[in-house]
Amino acid sequence: MTRTETAGPADSDIPAPHSERQARRTVLRDGISIGVATGTYGLSFGALATTAGLSLAQASALSLLMFTGASQFAFVGVIAAGGAPLAGAMSAALLGTRNALYGLHLSRLLRPRGAGRFGPAHLVIDESAAMSLDRGSEDLSRLGFWSAGAGVFVCWNTATVVGALGARLISDPGAYGLDVVAPAAFAALIAPRLKDMQTWRAAFLGAVVALVFVPFAPAGVPVLMSACAVTVVAIRGSRAGRRP
């Protein structure tokens, strides 16, 4: 019997321990880097929340319990514009619905059970969902989710406290441009997604609807009406695309 006939599985079929360790280090490093980079935006949120009239405890509670940047900026932005808390909460809830879609994928990956679902569910954000994709194995995908989610959570909440405390030391936050943090943050969130005409049309429609309601609707309501209009158009377009 030749050596080829007696040999076991090919070397390429056996995972190399060194390669596995290197892959884990890479994913962990990327997750922590994303956590630090994204978490620093908490400085802006803490400062904006303070200028909107929220206390340090209230700003910290939003970051701890809501923990989704776009929704937090939406809520505080409405409050800063003089809108009702209910309108701010509805705007935040609309923006947060995308996390439920992420959860459909992550529930199959993480397979949480019972009360153990609350921990991972709280860390479902854009960054942790993105880090769980295309990692080569479920173990690496789970590591990507946890490293990014935990990294953003720790850095975001720490930065919120620092930003809120810093803003309290400034007598006129508007003089430093802190009053435009929320619009700038939304522009930064939207810009990378404007890649095709369909997205541009949705953005244009949302802007037009919001401007129509601004003169006579309470603060926060124009955003809700804009979101509803874009959602209706998107659903109609999706149904039309499925027709033969």
Side-chain angles (χ1 to χ4, degrees):
M1 184 176 293
T2 64
R3 182 180 182 274
T4 303
E5 294 173 332
T6 58
D11 291 342
S12 60
D13 296 334
I14 302 175
H18 176 73
S19 299
E20 180 68 20
R21 287 196 298 270
Q22 182 62 35
R24 291 182 65 85
R25 284 197 295 267
T26 300
V27 172
L28 187 61
R29 180 197 62 205
D30 291 346
I32 294 175
S33 299
I34 288 175
V36 173
T38 304
T40 54
Y41 284 102
L43 292 168
S44 299
F45 171 73
L48 180 65
T50 298
T51 59
L54 274 67
S55 66
L56 174 61
Q58 290 170 329
S60 298
L62 279 175
S63 287
L64 282 170
L65 302 177
M66 186 180 290
F67 185 53
T68 173
S71 296
Q72 291 179 230
F73 276 115
F75 178 82
V76 173
V78 171
I79 299 300
L86 179 59
M90 292 178 65
S91 299
L94 279 174
L95 287 171
T97 52
R98 71 190 188 282
N99 292 343
L101 301 178
Y102 299 155
L104 296 176
H105 156 70
L106 292 169
S107 63
R108 294 190 294 268
L109 174 67
L110 302 174
R111 294 187 288 273
R113 294 290 184 271
R117 297 180 179 182
F118 292 103
H122 197 54
L123 299 182
V124 175
I125 53 176
D126 296 338
E127 292 76 14
S128 61
M131 279 293 295
S132 70
L133 299 174
D134 300 328
R135 292 296 160 184
S137 70
E138 288 192 353
D139 287 341
L140 292 178
S141 293
R142 282 190 286 268
L143 179 62
F145 168 82
W146 285 110
S147 60
V152 174
F153 183 81
V154 172
C155 294
W156 180 273
N157 281 278
T158 302
T160 296
V161 174
V162 175
L165 289 175
R168 292 170 69 90
L169 301 177
I170 301 174
S171 57
D172 184 13
Y176 295 87
L178 295 180
D179 53 334
V180 298
V181 167
F186 276 113
L189 288 170
I190 293 173
R193 293 165 172 79
L194 299 176
K195 298 179 179 179
D196 52 57
M197 285 303 301
Q198 183 178 1
T199 308
W200 274 102
R201 284 195 294 268
F204 180 76
L205 173 64
V208 170
V209 172
L211 289 174
V212 168
F213 280 90
V214 162
F216 56 86
V221 173
V223 176
L224 295 177
M225 301 308 297
S226 174
C228 291
V230 173
T231 300
V232 170
V233 171
I235 292 174
R236 289 173 62 88
S238 177
R239 290 177 177 176
R242 289 196 296 268
R243 294 172 185 169

